[in-house]
Amino acid sequence: GAGVSQSPSNKVTEKGKDVELRCDPISGHTALYWYRQSLGQGLEFLIYFQGNSAPDKSGLPSDRFSAERTGGSVSTLTIQRTQQEDSAVYLCASSLGPGQSSYEQYFGPGTRLTVT
Amino acid sequence: GENVEQHPSTLSVQEGDSAVIKCTYSDSASNYFPWYKQELGKGPQLIIDIRSNVGEKKDQRIAVTLNKTAKHFSLHITETQPEDSAVYFCAANDYNQGGKLIFGQGTELSVKP
């Protein structure tokens, strides 16, 4: 079946502009996670959704970052007034969710964001 | 919160040899430990995982071992092939925080033909 998809695959933006990154999780997965991967680094947690609610936003680095999820499916990560340090690969993952006896998270291909 | 350390950061082996990557974690509440393989320009791919009620798990050429007492787990790849070359990440779940994963820093594995 279809995996996690993300768009765009690449985004180049000028410093100070806003960007929106989109994630389509695997159908039926109620849990959705955003991570960030800086060049040559490990993955850093940003935010977790269960359904449309975000019980854990602890990884968002500043108030310029926000995310929403609608219909228990698609999620959008928005970065306002982008800075050069925001350049990274933004990865989305989904899982069946709590109570489903499944911890497995499946990742999308990521969006490579470059802020010039 | 959980902290995961991974080593080595780079590993080079000859085709056919075995490769071992090790990770330690800090939070004894963690109960799920996945391993991901990431090829250049792609998202991480789940290759094997283990839960805290199991000490070892195998899937063909790959195996993972878990020592809960020592809080460490390892990935073993036998009969390595050039297509095994990639970056491998270990992770542990943050049990009290919705199951988010805390990742190690990654190991770049190079298998020389």
Side-chain angles (χ1 to χ4, degrees):
Chain A
V4 177
S5 61
Q6 293 186 245
S7 61
S9 55
N10 281 283
K11 176 72 175 179
V12 180
T13 190
E14 293 180 352
K15 178 181 171 181
K17 300 279 191 184
D18 297 352
V19 295
E20 284 190 353
L21 312 179
R22 176 187 169 109
C23 172
D24 280 273
I26 294 171
S27 178
H29 281 194
T30 63
L32 186 148
Y33 303 81
W34 283 98
Y35 296 87
R36 178 169 73 173
Q37 186 174 31
S38 301
L39 187 63
Q41 299 296 310
L43 284 78
E44 170 193 19
F45 168 78
L46 297 177
I47 187 169
Y48 154 60
F49 286 93
Q50 177 52 45
N52 291 335
S53 300
D56 187 358
K57 307 178 183 179
S58 62
L60 295 178
S62 76
D63 59 8
R64 295 186 297 104
F65 288 71
S66 63
E68 65 176 12
R69 190 178 184 195
T70 56
S73 181
V74 172
S75 176
T76 302
L77 177 69
T78 301
I79 308 173
Q80 295 179 310
R81 306 181 302 281
T82 52
Q83 304 294 313
Q84 287 187 330
E85 61 262 29
D86 300 334
S87 296
V89 176
Y90 290 81
L91 290 156
C92 175
S94 71
S95 72
L96 279 171
Q100 299 292 331
S101 299
S102 173
Y103 294 116
E104 293 89 348
Q105 293 184 25
Y106 298 94
F107 281 83
T111 293
R112 180 175 297 278
L113 175 65
T114 304
V115 182
T116 61
Chain B
E2 177 66 277
N3 183 55
V4 177
E5 300 287 335
Q6 179 174 350
H7 58 94
S9 56
T10 61
L11 179 59
S12 182
V13 300
Q14 287 295 132
E15 182 177 359
D17 287 350
S18 295
V20 180
I21 302 171
K22 299 183 179 183
C23 290
T24 60
Y25 62 99
S26 61
D27 189 351
S28 56
S30 294
N31 64 348
Y32 174 66
F33 307 91
W35 286 88
Y36 287 86
K37 175 183 181 182
Q38 187 174 31
E39 296 175 324
L40 200 61
K42 297 185 178 180
Q45 175 194 3
L46 178 65
I47 56 171
I48 195 167
D49 56 18
I50 191 167
R51 305 201 181 196
S52 59
N53 59 346
V54 175
E56 182 175 1
K57 184 177 178 180
K58 275 187 169 183
D59 183 3
Q60 298 183 356
R61 296 187 297 109
I62 59 174
V64 57
T65 59
L66 171 66
N67 183 326
K68 283 192 299 182
T69 303
K71 296 203 196 78
H72 65 70
F73 56 113
S74 300
L75 177 71
H76 305 252
I77 306 174
T78 59
E79 301 172 21
T80 53
Q81 300 167 4
E83 52 265 38
D84 294 330
S85 297
V87 179
Y88 290 81
F89 291 96
C90 65
N93 68 332
D94 194 332
Y95 183 78
N96 295 315
Q97 293 289 337
K100 70 183 180 188
L101 296 177
I102 307 301
F103 284 84
Q105 290 300 300
T107 297
E108 184 173 3
L109 174 65
S110 175
V111 181
K112 299 186 187 308

